[in-house]
Structure formats: structure tokens, C-alpha cells
């Protein structure tokens, strides 16, 4: 949760201030990683950061192990669902691991 | 040490009258703005606050809170096409599909301007608004959706569409079509005339037929629905046909373009659609969905190819015609992705990543794109088509041995679950794009 990090107030860093946006976002920033790129696609159904507002199960904050196992089992067909098998089959082991880690950290 | 929120931190900064060690609170990417080639306080202007533009704005601010994002959208309320068919079916009202921009402003610090962009000066990197204002940009994202080819069908133009609705942009058009269905007598005929490919939402006309049939079956069961298609096949066809036979036996008839000849002309006054063979098809309600092209501003800005759509670098969505201008959503040529709200949302995220990477002078991760289109055949009968896409030789291509449509041999329970997920998808994508 970066915005809540302790903030020592020191010195004058004008350059950084110029890049500061007065229209401040309240939500956490996300790092531009491959894991984020893969996982953001899931948000259209599972909600931003995996927090679903409705009928589709939330995955944000579930353990990495749980998500990784679920995706692998959807891919192999061991676990059956409606649409997840059709999605999971597109991802490699490594990609599944990255997605699981992303959502396990609540983002 | 006490923990400070960003807002409190800014207040403190103001009080202290100093500009402090901001790099400590900026996320890693924002710190990357110090890298050579990186641009501090870049300004990105986004035209069109639909599924593509809104998502791009939100995710750009999440990837790079140092970038100033201005979203320019004509309307103060966004009425979604997704789920507008459920309004026609009488399952939901217009409020259910109407959303505003307060979430993007309040939670993500996006500057939202309600106006229309009339001109893009790509050389000067500036857009003009109807109020005479101008906005300077470092990068421009254009997500204007579609406009119609009003010259394509004899007897059909924007004015005529007020009485013969397309309802392919949601809003008053949706309401007009709903009113006409309500006014129609039992035993009446509805014609839906879908266009040829490519067009916005390939399964949309057939979901619409389903939802209208649901309404007719429950209120005017002797009525008929005729789909006079420009095409000879359509998205999820076996699944739709199976669902129609199960839920609305004998009510829906679909005729492919080669069989009826396609549209020759419309006689709006007599609610008659003539085929190219001059055979008349008379109806009580005609829903005529004309051929489409990229939204008007894309044409005015010189972003379109000979087919009227916008060619882009499919990795970043930067226009191949104008530098520093990006086109996403329905307006863009996006390889094998369909023109859907889901696809526009996915493209918005990839484009946001490309822009964050550009302004922070870091490498963009390999893009990944997804689409899923749910269709409601009945309130408790859903079907879907899914796709995961990657960039292959510069083109967005479906990942082999993945994706596809719902199984044809699924049981009632499966269709019920997918109907529930269709609703869940709508709730999620609205909050992921606008909230
Ligand atoms: C009946 C129907 C059902 C559908 N169902 C689904 C579905 O279930 N799932 C799905 O994924 N997709 C569905 N779609 C498709 C979906 O609506 C579109 O693909 C999606 O809206 C495309 O997003 P976009 O950002 O390209 O354009 P839009 O969402 O249309 O947004 C464009 C925005 O730009 C604004 N604009 C345009 N020009 C200017 C300008 N010059 N200045 C300022 N603002 C401007 C417009 O006001 C508009 O708000 C459906 C479509 C229809 C018609």
C-alpha cells in the first residue's frame, strides 16, 4: 500500500514537484510488469484488481497457490467451469504463476 | 513515524511551502520519469469516454500517476450498448445502463471535460473543442466508437432513423425502439436487419432478436420476428438457433443475405424493406442496423484507411498515419479482435501501458489482450465466446487451442450459470471502466 508509506518531509526537489499531478489519484498505482499486463485482462470480469462488484467470483487477495492451482486445473480440464477452461488454455505455466502472484498481492 | 495519505501529504506540503522529496512517495514508474528520454508531467488527452477511452484514462493514471490525463467526452452520462438489449426485452430500465464520470474524476484524478472535439492538429499536437477551447497534448488517444454510413442504404438517413431506429448507439434510439415494440399489436411482425462485417458487436443483433422475442413471447405471443441479414452466417449461430428453438419455437426466422438478396431500399413511410430483387418485406417495427465506420472525429483527423477504419501499430495502438495519436476500440483495426466493449477495455489497458512506458522511457511488457462476449438468449439462458490474443508478426492473433464458444451440448444449468455471469460481467466491466 504505497500511498501510506511514511513520508519524511525534507529538502527542495523542484524537478519532482513539476511532475506531481494536482489531480491526485486515490487508488494505488500499479507497477508496469508483465504480471500486471496479463492480469489486467482478467479485471473486465473479475473486477479491478480482482475485486468483483457482482456475480463473478472475486480473485483479488486469494492465495497465489489457490489461483495457480485453479488456473492449472482449468487448463488441464481437471476442474470444469463455464468459460475459464477456454481462457486458461491460452497461458503458460510461467504466465499462470505471474497472474497468481499479481492477484495474491491484492493487485 | 505517522503514516500520511497522499492528500494529507499534499496539504502538509502546502503548509510548509516547500516542495519535498516527492520521489519517495511516487510509485516506481513515476520515479522512472527521471530517466533519460523520460518526460515529466506528460499531458495525455483522450477523446471519447466509452469503454476504450474511460479504461485507458483510468489505467494510465494507475500505471503513471504523474501523467496528466484529460478525458473529453460529449455526454455527461454514458449509456452502454451492452445490456441495452435487456432494456428492449423489458428486463432492465434505462437507468440500469446509464453511468457517469464521477468515479474517474474522484478516484483517479482524471480531468473530465464534457465537450466535443471538432478538430485534431496532429502537427501542432492540439485538439479543438466546440466551445472554442483548445487542448495541447503530448499524446492523444482517440476512442470515438462508430458512426454510420448514411449513404449506404437508399431511403435511410439520420433523420429517417428517428422513426426506423438502428438502436446501435444506446440512448434515445433504444427508447424509440422499445416504444415501438410496446405499441405494436399482438400478431405483428418485427424485422431486424443486421449489416455485413465488420461491425460493432458481432453477436449483438442476435442477442437483440432473443431479447425482443422474450418480450413478444411474454406479452404478444402471436407475433413474429424476421431477421433479414446481410450475411450468410453469424456469430455463435448454432448456439443462438438452438436457444431460439428451446425458448421461442416458431417465433424467430433468420434469412441469410444470399437467400433474400440483401437490402435494396427502405420505404420508411410504409415500413417496408425492399430486397435487391425488389421483393417487399413489410413490418410493424423495423430495426435497421446500417453499415458502419470509425467515429466521425477519426475521419476528420485523417486517421482512417480506405475502408473507413483506423490502422494502428497493434502493439501500442499508435496510429500508422499520425505520430503520437493512438486509436483504440471499435474505430481501430485490431487484428482478430472483434469490435466489442470488452475488446475496447482490453485495448485501453494495453494502450495505457504503452503510454506509461513511453513517457517513463522503460520497456513495455509484451501485450496480452482478451475478449469475452456474453449474450443473453433468455433471462436465464446465457452463451459466450471467449478469446485470448497475442501479437504475432505485428498482428493481434488468437492464441491457438484456446478460446471459443460455449459447448453446444451443455445442459440448462450451464446456460443458467452463463446468464448469471453475463450480468456479473456487466457489473464488473462497468466498474472496471468507469469506477
Ligand atoms: C446492442 C449492442 C449490444 C452490445 N453488447 C455488448 C456486450 O455484451 N459486450 C461487449 O463487450 N460489447 C458489446 N457491444 C459493443 C460495445 O458497445 C462497443 O464495442 C464499445 O462501446 C466500443 O467502445 P469504444 O470506446 O470504441 O466506443 P464507445 O463505447 O461508443 O465510446 C465512444 C465515446 O466517444 C464519444 N465521442 C465520439 N466522438 C467524440 C468527439 N468528437 N468528442 C467527444 N466525444 C466523442 C461518444 O460520445 C462515446 O461516449 C454492444 C453493442 C451494441 C450496439
Amino acid at each position: 500500500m504505497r500511498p501510506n508509506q511514511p513520508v519524511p518531509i525534507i529538502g527542495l526537489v523542484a524537478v519532482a514537484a513539476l511532475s506531481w499531478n494536482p489531480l491526485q489519484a486515490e487508488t494505488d498505482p500499479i507497477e508496469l510488469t508483465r504480471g500486471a499486463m496479463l492480469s489486467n485482462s482478467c479485471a473486465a470480469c473479475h473486477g479491478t484488481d480482482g475485486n468483483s462488484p457482482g456475480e463473478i467470483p472475486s480473485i483479488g487477495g486469494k492465495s497465489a497457490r489457490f489461483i495457480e492451482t485453479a488456473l492449472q486445473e482449468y487448463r488441464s480440464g481437471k476442474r470444469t467451469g463455464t468459460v475459464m477452461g477456454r481462457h486458461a488454455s491460452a497461458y503458460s505455466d510461467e504466465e499462470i504463476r505471474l497472474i497468481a502472484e499479481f492477484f495474491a498481492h491484492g493487485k | 513515524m505517522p503514516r500520511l495519505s497522499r492528500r494529507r501529504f499534499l496539504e502538509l506540503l502546502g503548509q510548509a511551502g516547500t516542495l519535498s522529496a516527492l520521489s519517495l512517495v511516487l510509485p516506481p514508474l513515476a520515479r522512472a520519469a527521471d530517466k533519460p528520454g523520460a518526460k515529466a508531467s506528460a499531458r495525455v488527452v483522450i477523446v471519447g469516454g466509452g469503454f476504450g477511452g474511460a479504461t485507458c484514462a483510468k489505467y494510465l493514471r494507475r500505471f503513471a500517476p504523474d501523467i496528466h490525463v484529460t478525458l473529453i467526452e460529449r455526454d455527461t452520462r454514458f449509456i452502454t450498448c451492452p445490456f441495452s438489449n435487456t432494456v428492449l426485452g423489458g428486463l432492465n430500465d434505462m437507468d440500469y445502463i446509464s453511468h457517469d464520470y464521477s468515479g474517474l474524476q474522484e478516484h483517479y484524478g482524471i480531468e473530465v471535460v464534457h465537450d466535443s472535439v471538432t478538430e485534431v492538429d496532429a502537427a501542432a499536437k492540439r485538439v479543438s473543442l466546440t466551445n472554442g477551447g483548445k487542448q495541447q497534448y503530448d499524446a492523444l488517444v482517440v476512442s470515438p466508437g462508430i458512426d454510420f454510413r448514411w449513404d449506404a442504404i437508399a431511403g435511410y438517413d439520420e433523420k429517417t432513423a428517428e422513426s426506423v431506429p438502428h438502436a446501435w448507439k444506446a440512448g434515445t434510439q433504444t427508447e424509440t425502439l422499445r416504444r415501438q415494440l410496446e405499441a405494436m399489436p399482438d400478431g405483428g411482425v418485427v424485422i431486424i436487419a443486421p449489416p455485413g462485417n465488420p461491425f460493432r458487436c458481432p453477436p449483438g443483433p442476435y442477442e437483440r432478436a432473443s431479447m425482443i422475442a422474450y418480450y413478444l413471447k411474454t406479452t404478444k405471443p402471436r407475433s413474429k420476428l424476421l431477421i433479414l441479414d446481410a450475411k450468410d452466417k453469424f456469430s455463435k449461430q448454432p448456439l443462438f438457433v438452438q436457444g431460439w428453438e428451446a425458448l421461442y419455437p416458431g417465433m424467430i426466422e433468420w434469412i441469410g443475405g444470399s437467400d433474400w438478396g440483401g437490402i435494396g431500399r427502405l420505404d420508411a413511410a410504409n415500413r417496408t424493406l425492399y430486397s435487391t430483387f425488389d421483393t417487399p418485406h413489410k413490418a410493424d417495427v423495423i430495426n435497421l442496423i446500417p453499415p458502419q465506420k470509425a467515429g466521425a472525429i477519426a475521419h476528420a483527423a485523417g486517421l482512417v484507411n480506405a475502408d473507413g477504419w483506423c490502422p494502428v501499430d497493434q502493439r501500442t495502438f499508435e496510429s500508422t498515419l499520425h505520430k503520437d495519436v493512438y486509436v483504440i476500440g471499435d474505430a481501430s483495426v485490431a487484428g482478430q479482435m472483434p469490435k466489442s466493449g470488452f475488446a475496447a477495455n482490453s485495448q485501453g489497458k494495453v494502450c495505457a501501458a504503452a503510454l506509461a512506458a513511453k513517457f517513463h522511457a522503460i520497456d513495455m511488457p509484451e501485450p496480452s489482450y482478451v475478449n469475452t462476449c456474453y449474450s443473453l438468449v433468455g433471462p436465464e439462458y446465457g452463451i459466450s465466446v471467449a478469446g485470448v490474443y497475442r501479437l504475432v508478426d505485428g498482428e493481434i492473433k488468437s492464441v491457438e487451442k484456446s478460446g471459443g464458444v460455449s459447448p453446444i451440448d451443455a445442459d440448462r444449468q450451464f446456460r443458467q450459470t452463463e446468464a448469471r455471469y453475463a450480468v456479473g460481467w456487466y457489473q464488473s466491466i462497468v466498474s472496471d471502466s468507469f469506477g
Side-chain angles (χ1 to χ4, degrees):
Chain A
M1 295 267 144
R2 289 184 178 277
N4 294 328
Q5 272 175 357
V7 179
I9 299 183
I10 44 161
L12 201 99
V13 189
V15 174
L18 281 177
S19 71
W20 184 261
N21 192 335
L23 289 165
Q24 189 49 57
E26 279 174 10
T27 2
D28 284 346
I30 37 175
E31 216 174 319
L32 183 50
T33 58
R34 177 140 172 75
M37 175 69 87
L38 292 164
S39 306
N40 283 339
S41 304
C42 312
C45 287
H46 287 283
T48 304
D49 296 337
N51 301 318
S52 164
E55 292 282 333
I56 293 178
S58 284
I59 48 174
K62 292 236 156 67
S63 79
R65 198 189 160 79
F66 172 86
I67 301 169
E68 188 170 359
T69 308
L71 283 172
Q72 275 170 349
E73 291 184 357
Y74 277 126
R75 188 178 58 181
S76 70
K78 185 171 166 201
R79 194 181 289 224
T80 53
T82 50
V83 78
M84 279 314 299
R86 289 177 263 157
H87 283 290
S89 49
Y91 299 97
S92 68
D93 284 343
E94 169 68 2
E95 289 169 337
I96 284 177
R97 195 182 57 74
L98 290 171
I99 293 170
E101 268 174 17
F102 182 90
F103 287 115
H105 293 108
K107 51 160 96 176
Chain B
M1 194 183 248
R3 297 181 142 227
L4 294 181
S5 72
R6 279 166 183 264
R7 186 165 282 157
R8 180 75 190 122
F9 176 52
L10 279 178
E11 280 167 18
L12 282 177
L13 266 186
Q15 282 161 16
T18 55
L19 304 162
S20 306
L22 289 172
S23 59
L24 287 172
V25 277
L26 289 173
L29 274 176
R31 279 203 298 271
D34 300 337
K35 279 175 108 179
K39 183 160 173 46
S41 70
R43 289 187 68 90
V44 173
V45 170
I46 300 179
V47 183
F51 285 99
T55 307
C56 187
K58 167 170 161 176
Y59 276 79
L60 182 52
R61 289 283 295 168
R62 299 193 76 210
F63 281 135
D66 61 311
I67 293 180
H68 188 285
V69 177
T70 304
L71 179 65
I72 305 176
E73 163 59 47
R74 190 157 42 213
D75 301 325
T76 50
R77 283 198 326 164
F78 183 71
I79 305 178
T80 65
C81 284
F83 271 61
S84 65
N85 288 331
T86 68
V87 174
L88 299 176
L91 304 181
N92 290 305
D93 58 18
M94 290 298 286
D95 276 348
Y96 186 83
I97 58 168
S98 305
H99 309 280
D100 68 23
Y101 293 90
S102 55
L104 293 181
Q105 282 168 292
E106 286 159 21
H107 303 304
Y108 298 96
I110 292 155
E111 185 186 359
V112 180
V113 175
H114 289 296
D115 202 339
S116 285
V117 171
T118 52
E119 206 184 311
V120 176
D121 184 340
K125 295 192 168 187
R126 201 167 49 213
V127 299
S128 307
L129 311 177
T130 52
N131 69 5
K134 295 194 191 301
Q135 292 264 358
Q136 201 74 35
Y137 63 79
D138 295 302
L140 177 71
V141 180
V142 181
S143 188
I146 53 148
D147 267 301
F148 302 104
R149 296 185 174 278
W150 291 118
D151 55 353
I153 297 170
Y156 197 45
D157 57 20
E158 208 164 352
K159 183 86 190 118
T160 318
E162 288 169 16
S163 61
V164 180
H166 50 75
W168 221 240
K169 289 187 185 185
T172 40
Q173 280 280 314
T174 317
E175 290 172 309
T176 303
L177 182 52
R178 171 71 191 167
R179 262 199 311 276
Q180 292 186 356
L181 292 167
E182 283 169 349
M184 183 185 116
D186 188 8
V189 174
V190 179
I191 287 178
I192 299 178
N197 295 319
F199 65 105
R200 155 178 285 185
C201 195
Y206 316 97
E207 180 188 64
R208 172 166 294 174
S210 311
M211 285 289 101
I212 291 178
Y214 173 75
Y215 168 69
L216 296 178
K217 189 184 168 183
T218 41
T219 56
K220 295 160 189 175
R222 292 188 298 116
S223 308
K224 286 263 179 299
L225 197 157
L226 182 60
I227 306 172
L228 294 175
D229 214 324
K231 305 175 291 297
D232 286 331
K233 56 179 194 216
F234 62 89
S235 170
K236 296 185 262 191
Q237 186 165 357
L239 287 166
F240 272 114
V241 171
Q242 182 188 54
W244 293 341
E245 281 164 6
L247 302 181
Y248 320 110
M251 186 173 259
I252 300 177
E253 185 184 1
W254 174 85
I255 310 181
S258 308
D259 287 331
W260 76 285
I263 300 177
R265 67 191 162 93
L266 171 73
D267 176 354
N270 294 304
R271 292 202 192 285
T272 304
L273 201 54
Y274 286 86
S275 74
T276 49
F277 316 133
D278 223 32
T279 312
H281 297 273
K282 195 168 162 50
D284 297 276
V285 177
I286 298 181
N287 172 213
L288 179 43
I289 307 165
Q292 297 151 29
K293 59 184 182 181
I297 188 64
H299 289 257
L303 294 165
V304 300
N305 63 18
D307 299 327
W309 303 102
C310 304
V312 294
D313 173 344
Q314 295 180 17
R315 199 172 78 86
T316 60
F317 291 91
E318 185 170 17
S319 166
T320 56
L321 302 174
H322 284 302
K323 202 171 154 345
D324 298 320
V325 181
Y326 297 69
V327 187
I328 55 176
D330 287 353
S332 67
V333 178
Q336 295 180 344
M337 293 184 91
K339 299 189 185 303
S340 76
F342 198 126
N345 168 286
S346 180
Q347 293 159 10
K349 290 166 184 171
V350 171
C351 182
L355 290 170
K358 171 190 165 82
F359 289 119
H360 291 153
I362 58 171
D363 288 335
M364 174 188 172
E366 189 196 324
S368 175
Y369 327 71
V370 170
N371 177 62
T372 308
C373 284
Y374 283 101
S375 301
L376 286 172
V377 183
E380 296 188 8
Y381 193 117
I383 56 176
S384 65
V385 56
V388 179
Y389 306 83
R390 291 292 152 72
L391 197 69
V392 182
D393 301 328
E395 209 202 326
I396 298 173
K397 292 212 170 104
S398 181
V399 176
E400 273 177 39
K401 299 201 181 73
S402 73
V405 299
S406 312
I408 191 85
D409 56 359
D411 59 14
R412 262 299 160 94
Q413 173 76 42
F414 192 102
R415 305 281 188 237
Q416 248 173 32
T417 308
E418 287 217 285
R420 216 154 46 74
Y421 287 164
V423 176
W425 166 78
Y426 184 71
Q427 295 162 323
S428 287
I429 195 150
V430 165
S431 84
D432 189 42
S433 305
F434 300 96

